[in-house]
Amino acid sequence: MENGDSFPLMNSLPSRRHFLKASALAAAALPFIPKFSLAAAPKRKLGFALCGLGNLSTNQIAPALQETEYCKLAGIITGTPEKARRWQAQYNLPDHSVYSYDTMSKLADNPDIDVVYVVTPNGLHADHTIAAAKAGKHVLCEKPMEVSVEKCRQMIDACKTAGKQLAIGYRLHFEPNHQECIRLVREQVLGSLKFIEAGFGFAIGDPAQWRLKKELSGGGPMMDVGIYALQAMRYLSGEEPISVSALATTNDKVKFRDIEESLTWQMAFPSGVLANGNTTYGFSGINRFSANTDRGWLALNPAYGYHGISGSRSDGKTIRLADMNQFAAEMDDFAQCILGNRPTRVPGEEGLRDMKVISAIYESVRTGKVVNLT
Ligand code: NAD
């Protein structure tokens, strides 16, 4: 899963041919996503420094970098010297490309590094993003953007002040099956959207991990995987919610003393579309969305993995576009935005919008009341 606990879809990386085919499909299709032209950006590889060498960096991002056209691994930022040595040997990185969290200001002296990819626990994203921006680097920051609306704003401000781009690692914005669903809803191929149901959860393992500590995570499964279901609701509807209500429960009060174990929420959108979401760290088996229209439906199940996303439609057709490397596509797109001086489709403002809704969801859990977002 997100933390590598037991995710069944996390298998080998797709072929380069599949990646290019899927990227072309994604780029060609969609109204939700600004189309980009591969020819528009100068062909150069930007240097990426990975900040935080945990599970995601090790198993997904560093391998994905090898598949990109516009990016290369040019540095690492880590608090663990032994890890640094291992990465240096594996990726042939010179000593001057290795930094600790405390020496990030020195990134300013390294012209080989253009982008810092922040892959640390959620509650450290602002510190690391701001340090990278102050050192004159563009920032790609993992989701969720941070643990509060205020921190998200600070990150946006720091990158603006530095004149650098900030993108959030919303990999599914580059995934062709999600884009196809957005197209089907926007073009009303199966009718006019009425309801969305979406959920993502898994049984979390190690009770000592940072995901269970509110200070570092900002919350439970809602912050970690529920955000994918929230994203789906927002990009399928193409609207921002006007009100939310939510309930949370905790069965294991020792393991989940700091955060919710399971959470369910409802949202209303301005057009009248209603959405119902759920997320959990208590059990596996939820990884889906469905969108009902006035005369049909579409659904992805499984919906949010790195591979194997597929779905169905009420007209009997399947939704199964080619697997691709979502991280490679996300990084290549950001590099092209920087090279072509174009805004990213997943800016800090998009992370901020999610954080505002998540804050309202937690407020509703606390107060037991419907929270208006207008
Ligand atoms: P992880 O625990 O495997 O790695 C976190 C890294 O941060 C480790 O190298 C750790 O040493 C370092 N770190 C620095 N300071 C730390 C501190 N005070 N406490 C704990 N660790 C500290 O986590 P991960 O699964 O790699 O997740 C990192 C980020 O990536 C999170 O924001 C997570 O939400 C996000 N993520 C995104 C996806 C995705 O599909 N886009 C998937 C997994 C994780």
Side-chain angles (χ1 to χ4, degrees), residues 2 54-56 83 122 125 142-143 171 210-211 228:
E2 283 283 303
N55 179 53
L56 188 67
K83 246 191 236 176
N122 312 340
H125 288 179
E142 261 310 325
K143 48 55 60 184
R171 57 184 166 78
W210 64 262
R211 279 181 170 79
Y228 286 99

Side-chain angles (χ1 to χ4, degrees), residues 1-4 10 51-58 60-61 77-80 83 101 117-125 128 141-144 169-171 209-211 216 223-224 228 304 306 326-327 330:
M1 186 59 61
E2 283 283 303
N3 67 347
M10 225 189 260
C51 175
L53 306 181
N55 179 53
L56 188 67
S57 285
T58 305
Q60 301 301 329
I61 298 171
I77 301 152
T78 174
T80 317
K83 246 191 236 176
Y101 302 111
Y117 193 159
V118 175
V119 202
T120 45
N122 312 340
L124 302 174
H125 288 179
H128 298 146
C141 175
E142 261 310 325
K143 48 55 60 184
Y170 287 127
R171 57 184 166 78
Q209 64 184 283
W210 64 262
R211 279 181 170 79
L216 284 172
M223 293 289 291
D224 190 16
Y228 286 99
Y304 309 108
Y306 302 147
Q326 299 163 22
F327 292 99
E330 163 199 286

Side-chain angles (χ1 to χ4, degrees), residues 13-26:
L13 290 169
S15 71
R16 178 94 195 128
R17 186 171 52 81
H18 276 162
F19 166 59
L20 289 173
K21 193 173 151 205
S23 298
L25 274 170

